[in-house]
């Protein structure tokens, strides 16, 4: 699959591709609150719930049959490292939102994961093709430590907004805060504004 290069999205937010206070790294560190959860391809289920016309549920094979894209993206961790040119393959967020039919009064989204991690973003921040539910990295199945089988990537936000081992999303009519957001990290997490803490 040919990759779409979206590494120029920084132009919307700042002057430099490398956000302020970040340094570039070429390896891919692992950051997880509590280690890697196990998953079973036969019972794995992905759900879309909350303020939608139709709640959705996908098995692993159903999810992988959704229309997918490969994108070249940058990855910015709030602890200070950025990794350029990551190729992720997966389903763009708007594809799922359209299938579920998001209600007019939905304004926020909560992502939930198999390790009980949660993270939230405004609906506007999610409704971008660069927000991918990704199952492959650089053409290989996503490594378990990096969130395999499925993770979210958010190249316009610090990476804690991208839930590894994601198992569902909930559309909300009131903002709620996720795991790190409740512990002092920023709701907005814009790397070019250095929105690290709230
Ligand atoms: N489910 C889950 N997703 C998560 C985390 C986590 O602990 N659990 N950590 C977050 C944080 S703080 C970061 S920086 C990135 C790290 O992704 P990586 O381990 O692939 O580098 O995942 C984010 N997504
Ligand atoms: Mo992080």
């Amino acid at each position: 699959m040919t990759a779409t290069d979206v590494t120029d999205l920084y132009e919307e937010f700042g002057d430099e591709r490398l956000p302020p206070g970040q340094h570039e790294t070429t390896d891919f560190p692992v950051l997880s609150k509590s280690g890697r959860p196990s998953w079973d391809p036969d019972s794995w289920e992905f759900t879309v719930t909350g303020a939608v016309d139709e709640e959705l549920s996908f098995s692993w094979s159903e999810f992988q049959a959704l229309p997918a894209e490969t994108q070249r993206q940058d990855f910015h961790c709030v602890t200070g490292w950025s990794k350029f040119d990551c190729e992720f393959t997966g389903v763009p967020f708007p594809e799922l939102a359209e299938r579920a039919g998001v209600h007019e009064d939905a304004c926020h989204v909560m992502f939930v994961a198999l390790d009980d991690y949660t993270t939230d973003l405004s609906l506007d921040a999610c409704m971008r093709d660069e927000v991918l539910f990704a199952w492959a990295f650089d053409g290989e199945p996503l490594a378990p430590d990096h969130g395999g089988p499925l993770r979210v990537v958010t190249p316009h936000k610090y990476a804690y907004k991208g839930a590894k081992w994601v198992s569902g999303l909930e559309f909300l009519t009131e903002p709620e805060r996720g795991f790190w957001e409740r512990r002092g990290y920023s709701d907005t997490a814009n790397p070019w504004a250095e929105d690290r803490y709230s």
Side-chain angles (χ1 to χ4, degrees):
M1 206 184 277
T2 325
T4 306
D5 189 337
V6 301
T7 58
D8 59 355
L9 67 75
Y10 74 87
E11 291 168 1
E12 196 180 316
F13 304 100
D15 297 332
E16 304 282 339
R17 182 172 174 189
L18 187 67
Q22 296 291 108
H23 63 269
E24 201 186 333
T25 181
T26 50
D27 46 48
F28 197 175
V30 170
L31 280 107
S32 309
K33 71 171 180 64
S34 55
R36 176 213 308 169
S38 61
W39 74 290
D40 171 7
D42 294 327
S43 58
W44 185 91
E45 188 188 26
F46 183 91
T47 57
V48 181
T49 59
V52 291
D53 295 336
E54 197 186 347
E55 296 201 329
L56 305 176
S57 151
F58 300 91
S59 68
W60 178 232
S61 57
E62 286 167 346
F63 199 93
Q64 284 183 295
L66 291 168
E69 289 182 12
T70 298
Q71 295 179 9
R72 189 172 315 120
Q73 307 192 338
D74 297 340
F75 190 100
H76 308 292
C77 178
V78 71
T79 61
W81 54 269
S82 292
K83 181 175 173 60
F84 286 167
D85 298 318
C86 305
E87 273 193 27
F88 287 107
T89 304
V91 180
F93 185 98
E95 175 74 35
L96 287 175
E98 273 159 36
R99 283 171 189 246
V102 180
H103 290 175
E104 288 276 295
D105 59 350
C107 63
H108 219 74
V109 176
M110 187 68 77
F111 297 87
V112 299
L114 295 177
D115 61 344
D116 293 328
Y117 186 78
T118 53
T119 186
D120 67 277
L121 267 179
S122 72
L123 180 58
D124 283 351
C126 293
M127 283 297 259
R128 305 177 55 111
D129 285 338
E130 303 90 352
V131 177
L132 289 180
F133 291 84
W135 59 70
F137 169 71
D138 285 356
E140 301 289 335
L142 186 63
D145 278 334
H146 286 298
L150 189 70
R151 79 169 301 159
V152 181
V153 287
T154 55
H156 60 324
K157 299 293 181 185
Y158 289 122
Y160 65 91
K161 293 295 182 181
K164 304 197 284 188
W165 312 294
V166 66
S167 57
L169 67 159
E170 184 180 1
F171 288 89
L172 304 172
T173 54
E174 302 272 336
E176 282 175 35
R177 310 189 82 199
F179 181 85
W180 282 121
E181 293 83 3
R182 286 197 300 270
R183 289 164 175 78
Y185 283 89
S186 164
D187 292 329
T188 48
N190 173 1
W192 293 272
E194 284 199 80
D195 296 340
R196 295 178 200 267
Y197 311 105
S198 61

